[in-house]
Amino acid sequence: MTASRWAGLGVLLLLGGCREPVSTPSAPVPPPAAAQPLLTVEGVTVRYKGQLLPWEGPTERWKQVLGPPSREELGILTWDELGLFVYDQDARVPGPESLSVLFGRTMHSPLTEGAPDFWPRKSFSGRLLVDGAAISSGSTLDEINRDKKGASFARDYMSGVYSYYVEDFYVRLDYGHDRTLTSFGLSKALPDSTPPSP
């Protein structure tokens, strides 16, 4: 075979290999697991991996969704591996009264030593979205309020505490004395308490 025939055959093979494949419709590719939020709070609705954590009724549903708590004492359920704890202490209030997500261990004052025994052994390492704002241990108040829909967090009764009320719930961020985020919390108003008027 001559050189020109080899060249012609190479061009035909090259052109034949460049044809576009026939496209077939396919299902949308889901986002990677890391991109999916792990814990979401929309208003007062809480979901873990898309499953509802209901405020009404017994905490059994929370145990089904989150798994068995690592510890349960005096109405405080702690999930060490998840970095979460729930209060379910008041018999007048059906379901849990509050949820706290632990991001760090720095207290409000440098004079405070140690942490409460019921705090999770590990900090929350998943993704938390609150009304569209991603919250992590490095989140600043300005970043959260910038990205958040609905009410903004505002200075509360002491330095390092920022909150707002929505429906009958108190929503709160706690920053330590070094300005790192310690926790996010969502609590029901107790029957004998009323939120202050704006």
Side-chain angles (χ1 to χ4, degrees):
M1 194 177 273
T2 65
S4 62
R5 284 190 177 178
W6 278 110
L9 183 61
V11 169
L12 285 175
L13 289 173
L14 182 61
L15 290 175
C18 291
R19 290 186 311 177
E20 291 185 25
V22 177
S23 62
T24 57
S26 61
V29 177
Q36 296 176 349
L38 185 60
L39 188 64
T40 59
V41 177
E42 295 171 355
V44 299
T45 302
V46 181
R47 286 186 171 82
Y48 177 71
K49 294 185 178 179
Q51 296 184 65
L52 181 66
L53 295 170
W55 289 105
E56 302 304 322
T59 54
E60 291 310 310
R61 176 65 181 153
W62 289 62
K63 293 176 185 178
Q64 290 171 358
V65 173
L66 299 173
S70 308
R71 293 173 277 135
E72 187 173 349
E73 189 173 342
L74 301 174
I76 303 172
L77 293 77
T78 303
W79 285 267
D80 286 323
E81 295 300 313
L82 298 178
L84 309 172
F85 60 98
V86 169
Y87 284 91
D88 186 16
Q89 299 175 313
D90 194 331
R92 299 171 299 163
V93 180
E97 293 99 57
S98 69
L99 163 69
S100 293
V101 181
L102 186 69
F103 287 102
R105 299 191 179 279
T106 305
M107 300 301 205
H108 295 292
S109 168
L111 303 176
T112 305
E113 294 181 11
D117 290 338
F118 59 83
W119 272 18
R121 307 274 188 251
K122 295 182 179 180
S123 297
F124 183 75
S125 61
R127 289 173 40 108
L128 171 64
L129 287 183
V130 176
D131 294 329
I135 299 181
S136 67
S137 60
S139 296
T140 67
L141 183 67
D142 289 339
E143 291 169 342
I144 294 167
N145 281 337
R146 177 196 67 208
D147 298 338
K148 188 179 177 309
K149 296 176 284 193
S152 295
F153 288 96
R155 172 91 185 261
D156 204 327
Y157 65 94
M158 67 180 281
S159 177
V161 178
Y162 301 89
S163 66
Y164 61 89
Y165 285 88
V166 60
E167 298 179 22
D168 290 333
F169 285 76
Y170 174 64
V171 186
R172 170 178 169 156
L173 292 173
D174 282 77
Y175 284 86
H177 62 84
D178 63 356
R179 298 185 183 203
T180 61
L181 184 61
T182 302
S183 65
F184 165 81
L186 181 61
S187 305
K188 291 179 185 176
L190 296 177
D192 57 344
S193 66
T194 54
S197 50

